[in-house]
Amino acid sequence: MDRSRFVIDSVEAEQMAKQSGRTLLQLLPSLVKSAQAMARPPISKFHVGAVGLGSSGRIFFGVNLEFPGLPLNQSVHAEQFLITNLFLNGEPRLKYISVSAAPCGHCRQFLQEIRGAPDVKILIASDDDDEKENKTNINCNDKDREFTPLSNFLPNRFGPDDLLPKDAPLLLEPHRNGLSFCSDSRNSNTDDGEDNLKYAALDAANMSYAPYSGCPSGVALVDVEGKIYKGSYMESAAYNPSVQPVQAAIVAYMARGGGGYERIVGAVLVEKAEGVIKQEDAARLILQCISPKCEFKAFQCEKA
Amino acid sequence: MDRPRFVIDSAEAEQMAKQSGQTVLQLLPSLVKSAQILARPPISKYHVGAVGMGSSGRIFLGVNLEFPGLPLNQTVHAEQFLITNLSLNAEPRLKYLAVSAAPCGHCRQFLQELRGAPDVKLLISSSEDEKENKLNNCCNDKDQEFTPLSHFLSHRFGPDDLLEKDAPLLLESHRNGLSFRSNLCNDKIDGGDDLKHAALEAANMSHAPYSGCPSGVALLDVEGKIYKGSYMESAAYNPSLPPAQAALVAYVASCGGGGYERIVGAVLVEKEDAVIKQEHTSRLLLQCISPKCEFKVFHCTKN
């Protein structure tokens, strides 16, 4: 795999499985190492890979991202990357995940936002049989060879159903927030390129999952080649594990082969004018840190 | 109880239990509601209370804190408040914890930083009426007993995945050996040297074995009282508690219910060439909750 790939379509996934004499499910843990290789953890050097199978039969990758110069709560976990990747690709449902290490509590919590979370099947992969025998880590036991429901990893969960009405759409489920630019943001002086970026960010804000704060938001990034990458804010019932819109856009950047962060030259954030929470200042900080030359603008929107 | 209290000493705890015909363990869930009242969640209005008992026999309270105008990852959870409260009061070990709602995964992860975390006994309490009316699948016999934390976060990812066997854990004593460089001593701030040195002290007690970047914040209120908070890291990174939040816990736990606008000065101390930096997000938080607060940063080095 020369070019970093973060999605494998269902036909190719079947083919890969067949060629290596495995079932599709057995293929997942075998791909974890190649996922790990794509991680960007310059602080810990602890590479985490997550490989997920969606209901469409497509395989998705997730890796962890760390940002020197920022507090640790700006990190993106591999499982969060994975979910963001499903979101970008319109995948409605996650069925199986294989990960290189036990998901931490933060991720087990974030995963609760998806429909049927307790039934998502998880496998903590280890390299090969030799490692399994040598491992003294308590994580190594028979359970590791089988997919186990997420409900085992987070029993007595705190989740969306503690806070939302029964029929509320969950993460990965379609919804439109009905946002459009406030009049001053609409008329600001921007050229076509900037307009594209602005509207991409608005689109991302419209797809954003923010039922707890009621403050959806989106970020769009543009690289030196003019390619645009969008990320939507995705909230967690437990608040802190929420994925901020800049991070979601960086996942999009990486998942579509973006390269180094310094190639990001422009960014737009769109969020509500009088929201109870604000992303702008934190978004500016993050972008200044990872790509100092990136020009950042914030525009406000309102519900139509 | 006119003035909010966040610590009950062991003798009083025993007395309270006796007076209400309960064991001290039974007392814990009965205090959860009074903890919830002290919470400050203006965004969700969802009050969470946590009541913990330390190895000393003292009882500690924890409540959630939310900050409008900031992203949600700045929030402090009741369990994190509780642990910070133990830390402020030099309580070395948490043994039992009663909470008003199932701890979220973020908290179950943060709690892993404690020595003996898997054996911390947890009780999700609810009132008698609520138990009968609850359709939530949390309601079962288990809720009436304390259950080990290992049940709530099996196959944990924790400090032992990343640290040396003998590394000190959260609540255990740390001395980070940090001091100011001599040419910084002349920078003046309200509260003077005391505030600066309080923040340095907090940085010296900070648990930051993953980044190697301990830090501390000290806050000054209108009456000249100082409140210190140390940065507390999580092996899973994101659940780490920033130093400004830790100092706010100290403020809420000791200020007798006052508003954040009473905070007039703040100092952050962190390492100069740190791989992670608290400065900008600390400034954002303080500007948000107390716009008139004077905030300064001083850098320290390891001796």
Side-chain angles (χ1 to χ4, degrees):
Chain A
M1 244 187 348
D2 284 7
R3 186 190 148 83
S4 300
R5 277 207 304 171
F6 285 83
V7 190
I8 300 173
D9 71 51
S10 54
V11 170
E12 186 176 354
E14 295 271 6
Q15 221 173 17
M16 284 173 76
K18 209 169 171 180
Q19 274 170 0
S20 58
R22 296 175 160 115
T23 63
L24 203 52
L25 282 195
Q26 285 166 336
L27 184 65
L28 297 184
S30 75
L31 295 173
V32 166
K33 264 197 141 170
S34 51
Q36 278 177 282
M38 301 190 288
R40 296 188 184 186
I43 299 174
S44 68
K45 320 290 198 285
F46 188 87
H47 287 240
V48 183
V51 183
L53 180 67
S55 50
S56 68
R58 288 181 292 179
I59 291 180
F60 298 85
F61 290 90
V63 299
N64 59 329
L65 308 176
E66 295 170 358
F67 305 106
L70 291 172
L72 293 184
N73 63 5
Q74 301 302 325
S75 310
V76 177
H77 287 226
E79 298 86 332
Q80 293 179 298
F81 189 121
L82 179 72
I83 297 301
T84 309
N85 195 4
L86 264 74
F87 183 99
L88 300 169
N89 285 284
E91 180 70 36
R93 196 130 180 166
L94 176 67
K95 303 198 72 182
Y96 297 91
I97 307 185
S98 185
V99 275
S100 56
C104 76
H106 160 92
C107 284
R108 298 181 199 192
Q109 184 62 52
F110 183 72
L111 288 166
Q112 300 307 315
E113 298 308 309
I114 60 185
R115 180 77 61 192
D119 300 317
V120 171
K121 307 288 191 301
I122 302 191
L123 175 70
I124 303 165
S126 42
D127 294 345
D128 52 37
D129 285 347
D130 286 341
E131 276 208 19
K132 277 184 197 145
E133 296 189 42
N134 295 336
K135 246 166 127 168
T136 49
N137 188 312
I138 54 163
N139 278 338
C140 183
N141 59 35
D142 284 346
K143 264 204 168 143
D144 291 334
R145 294 160 202 247
E146 325 158 352
F147 283 86
T148 311
L150 180 56
S151 53
N152 275 35
F153 290 92
L154 203 80
N156 296 84
R157 76 170 194 164
F158 176 80
D161 48 342
D162 287 281
L163 299 177
L164 301 179
K166 225 177 180 312
D167 55 355
L170 298 184
L171 185 55
L172 302 185
E173 294 180 341
H175 57 278
R176 294 295 301 175
N177 295 316
L179 303 165
S180 55
F181 286 117
C182 296
S183 50
D184 50 354
S185 289
R186 207 182 309 131
N187 297 330
S188 74
N189 252 350
T190 50
D191 60 33
D192 281 345
E194 285 181 345
D195 252 12
N196 287 344
L197 199 60
K198 255 180 81 173
Y199 281 92
L202 178 66
D203 201 37
N206 265 318
M207 292 191 294
S208 162
Y209 172 76
Y212 307 106
S213 66
C215 298
S217 58
V219 161
L221 305 173
V222 64
D223 70 11
V224 283
E225 290 171 16
K227 257 183 94 175
I228 291 177
Y229 309 86
K230 295 182 310 203
S232 302
Y233 173 50
M234 294 175 293
E235 243 167 29
S236 160
Y239 280 24
N240 298 55
S242 302
V243 174
Q244 295 172 229
V246 172
Q247 275 83 343
I250 291 170
V251 168
Y253 177 75
M254 279 199 62
R256 289 169 51 213
Y261 300 137
E262 71 291 343
R263 294 178 74 259
I264 298 168
V265 295
V268 166
L269 164 77
V270 169
E271 64 180 339
K272 282 168 91 172
E274 305 277 324
V276 68
I277 64 170
K278 251 177 72 144
Q279 306 293 342
E280 178 176 347
D281 299 314
R284 183 178 288 109
L285 267 184
I286 298 165
L287 289 161
Q288 264 169 3
C289 195
I290 65 169
S291 185
K293 299 203 164 109
C294 173
E295 187 188 0
F296 172 71
K297 287 190 177 174
F299 294 97
Q300 297 184 327
C301 61
E302 57 198 357
K303 209 163 160 96
Chain B
M1 222 167 33
D2 288 356
R3 190 189 151 89
R5 281 200 307 165
F6 285 82
V7 190
I8 299 171
D9 70 49
S10 53
E12 186 177 354
E14 297 262 337
Q15 215 174 18
M16 284 172 76
K18 208 166 170 181
Q19 273 171 0
S20 55
Q22 285 166 118
T23 62
V24 180
L25 279 196
Q26 286 168 331
L27 184 65
L28 298 184
S30 74
L31 294 174
V32 166
K33 270 195 140 167
S34 52
Q36 278 178 279
I37 292 168
L38 302 173
R40 301 189 187 192
I43 299 175
S44 68
K45 321 287 199 287
Y46 188 88
H47 287 241
V48 184
V51 182
M53 192 168 93
S55 49
S56 69
R58 288 181 293 179
I59 291 180
F60 300 86
L61 301 194
V63 298
N64 57 331
L65 307 176
E66 294 171 358
F67 305 107
L70 292 170
L72 293 183
N73 66 1
Q74 300 303 314
T75 307
V76 178
H77 287 227
E79 299 85 333
Q80 292 179 298
F81 189 120
L82 179 77
I83 297 304
T84 309
N85 195 4
L86 265 72
S87 173
L88 297 170
N89 287 283
E91 179 69 40
R93 197 131 179 166
L94 177 68
K95 302 198 72 183
Y96 296 91
L97 175 60
V99 276
S100 55
C104 73
H106 159 94
C107 285
R108 299 183 199 192
Q109 184 62 53
F110 184 74
L111 289 166
Q112 300 307 314
E113 295 309 306
L114 304 173
R115 179 80 56 193
D119 300 317
V120 170
K121 306 288 191 302
L122 192 67
L123 175 72
I124 302 165
S125 77
S126 39
S127 68
E128 288 305 318
D129 287 340
E130 277 192 21
K131 273 180 197 148
E132 298 191 40
N133 296 336
K134 242 167 137 168
L135 302 167
N136 188 309
N137 65 5
C138 270
C139 184
N140 56 36
D141 283 345
K142 271 212 167 133
D143 288 335
Q144 334 261 111
E145 328 157 349
F146 283 87
T147 309
L149 181 57
S150 54
H151 164 79
F152 291 92
L153 201 81
S154 61
H155 279 72
R156 76 171 195 161
F157 176 77
D160 48 343
D161 287 283
L162 298 176
L163 300 181
E164 308 285 326
K165 225 178 182 306
D166 54 355
L169 298 185
L170 188 54
L171 300 187
E172 296 180 341
S173 26
H174 292 65
R175 288 299 302 172
N176 294 317
L178 303 166
S179 57
F180 291 124
R181 286 200 326 256
S182 53
N183 62 3
L184 288 180
C185 286
N186 298 327
D187 199 351
K188 294 280 173 255
I189 185 176
D190 269 352
D193 279 350
D194 285 350
L195 197 59
K196 259 178 74 175
H197 283 94
L200 179 66
E201 205 182 312
N204 266 319
M205 293 192 295
S206 163
H207 172 75
Y210 309 106
S211 66
C213 300
S215 59
V217 162
L219 304 173
L220 179 75
D221 75 7
V222 284
E223 290 172 14
K225 256 187 98 179
I226 290 176
Y227 309 86
K228 295 182 309 204
S230 303
Y231 173 49
M232 292 178 293
E233 239 165 33
S234 159
Y237 279 27
N238 296 55
S240 302
L241 191 73
Q245 272 82 346
L248 284 173
V249 168
Y251 177 74
V252 172
S254 330
C255 74
Y260 299 133
E261 72 291 341
R262 293 176 72 258
I263 298 167
V264 295
V267 167
L268 163 75
V269 169
E270 64 179 343
K271 284 163 90 174
E272 179 137 42
D273 293 311
V275 69
I276 62 166
K277 272 176 65 138
Q278 307 295 340
E279 176 175 347
H280 304 297
T281 45
S282 302
R283 182 178 288 113
L284 277 182
L285 173 63
L286 291 161
Q287 266 170 1
C288 198
I289 63 170
S290 185
K292 297 201 165 112
C293 173
E294 187 191 3
F295 174 67
K296 284 199 177 169
V297 179
F298 294 96
H299 291 130
C300 59
T301 52
K302 204 173 161 89
N303 294 332

